[in-house]
């Protein structure tokens, strides 16, 4: 199924850059302008200058800078095809955890072929930006994050054995996440890892925009006569992780409702009572703990926060109500927490339609529950809904059904670092 290869990655010359820590950064789409400037001020060679260029001619400037860094030896190309073993060590839910995968080239396929599967809808603006950058640089500076099924841990065992030695690169970022990289170039070891994926599908965890952009870029090059089938543009850099890995963590993305005329919290709660058990509480300290307990019981539950420390617990009584609301979708999609919230609560009971949600007219998204509370308390929002995370098995089942979740259904943590290795498409 999935065609996976090692590749001669482009890496930073740490002797010229003063180490690896100053040249890497988080994914471009979670970096503020203040942070972007800070990374550049910290190290003039930070990869953010390539991944998130600014100015009058940002994309072409990134292309020129990339070529200059290669010529000056700031960047260099690996001597042999490699598989890069990548591990992150981090704290989540009060525990120190690790997750490990491999960075490889993967042959991109249209979603309808059923080899590489998405799970979320995307926005066109972000894809346009990434396409312009690829046209100017012909590179992947960051990896697409994808999952695979390996219940017996065949590949995990290989990766663990090959990473028993000290890592080739290691750095700890400002969030306390330690990133480690092992470079594997022995020909048979590389081939052995790649062969494992012959009968596997891949499920995109993070990087849907970049994947769809990769398809558009490949097609653009072929249309312009600049590439043929089998060329490097057919392959994109991905980090592949076993979906059975105990270190996989998905956080929820919470919903903020704003700018609704004549919003009435009591009226919303009364409407919810037709489908939910509704209980009122004060004090936000136990919200996430309460939701987690119901999540572990397999229930669909949400906290509706209305300000002043007051919130209501909404617990769905009967999931079959979703069968009539989304009859065209699979059971996996109908029973998602985000599907219940979007379709039953926000759309049916509150009158916020799907197009409105997609355009974020009355709905915005935040990662931290505290940010949601603050938005309501400040008067910037009408209310907020605090959710439980989407399960890994749900991502697999929705993707396998050929369907997509609402936007911002998942937040994989921690994010993959940018700058350990670059994939040049030549």
């Amino acid at each position: 199924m999935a065609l996976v290869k090692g590749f001669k990655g482009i890496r930073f010359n740490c002797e010229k850059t003063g180490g690896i820590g100053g040249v890497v950064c988080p994914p471009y789409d979670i970096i503020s302008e203040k942070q972007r400037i800070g990374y550049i001020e910290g190290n003039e060679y930070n990869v953010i200058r390539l991944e998130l260029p600014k100015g009058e001619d940002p994309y072409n400037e990134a292309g020129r800078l990339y070529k200059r860094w290669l010529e000056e030896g700031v960047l260099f190309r690996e001597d042999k095809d490699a598989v890069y073993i990548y591990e992150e060590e981090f704290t989540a839910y009060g525990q120190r955890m690790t997750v490990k995968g491999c960075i490889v080239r993967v042959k991109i396929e249209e979603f309808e072929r059923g080899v590489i599967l998405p799970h979320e809808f995307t926005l066109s603006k972000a894809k346009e930006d990434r396409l312009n950058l690829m046209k100017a640089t012909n590179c992947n500076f960051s990896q697409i994050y994808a999952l695979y099924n390996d219940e017996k841990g065949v590949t995990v065992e290989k990766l663990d054995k090959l990473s028993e030695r000290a890592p080739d690169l290691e750095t700890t970022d400002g969030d306390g996440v330690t990133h480690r990289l092992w470079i594997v170039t022995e020909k048979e070891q590389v081939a052995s890892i790649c062969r494992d994926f012959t009968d596997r599908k891949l499920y995109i965890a993070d990087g849907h925009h970049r994947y769809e952009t990769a398809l558009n870029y490949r097609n653009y090059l072929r249309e312009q006569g600049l590439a043929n089938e089998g060329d490097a543009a057919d392959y994109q850099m991905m980090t592949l992780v076993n979906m059975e890995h105990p270190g996989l963590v998905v956080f929820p993305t919470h919903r903020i409702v704003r700018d609704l005329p004549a919003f009435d919290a009591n009226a919303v709660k009364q409407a919810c009572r037709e489908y939910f058990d509704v209980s009122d509480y004060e004090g936000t300290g136990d919200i996430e703990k309460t939701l987690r307990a119901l999540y572990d019981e397999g229930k669909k539950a949400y906290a509706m926060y209305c300000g002043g420390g007051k919130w209501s617990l909404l617990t769905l009584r009967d999931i079959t109500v979703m069968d009539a609301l989304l009859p065209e979708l699979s059971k996996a999609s109908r029973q998602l927490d985000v599907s219940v919230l979007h379709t039953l609560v926000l759309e049916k009971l509150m009158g916020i339609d799907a197009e409105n949600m997609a355009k974020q007219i009355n709905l915005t998204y935040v990662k931290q529950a505290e940010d949601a509370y603050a938005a309501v308390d400040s008067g910037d929002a009408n209310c907020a809904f605090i959710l439980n995370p989407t399960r890994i098995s749900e991502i697999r089942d929705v993707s396998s059904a050929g369907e997509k979740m609402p936007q911002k259904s998942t937040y994989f943590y921690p994010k993959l670092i940018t700058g350990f290795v670059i994939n040049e498409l030549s």
Side-chain angles (χ1 to χ4, degrees), residues 207-220:
H208 289 79
H209 293 102
R210 278 167 283 163
Y211 187 85
E212 292 183 29
T213 299
L215 289 169
N216 291 338
Y217 183 59
R218 180 204 66 185
N219 295 341
Y220 162 79

Side-chain angles (χ1 to χ4, degrees), residues 118-119 300 319-337 339-340 343 393-406:
H119 78 267
K300 307 296 177 187
I319 190 63
T320 59
V321 65
M322 296 301 296
D323 296 346
L325 292 174
L326 296 172
E328 74 283 2
L329 295 183
S330 67
K331 180 180 178 181
S333 288
R334 291 196 302 270
Q335 296 192 1
L336 290 169
D337 283 42
S339 295
V340 174
T343 304
S393 59
E394 292 175 321
I395 296 171
R396 178 199 61 212
D397 293 345
V398 170
S399 299
S400 296
E403 297 168 348
K404 296 180 183 178
M405 300 179 182

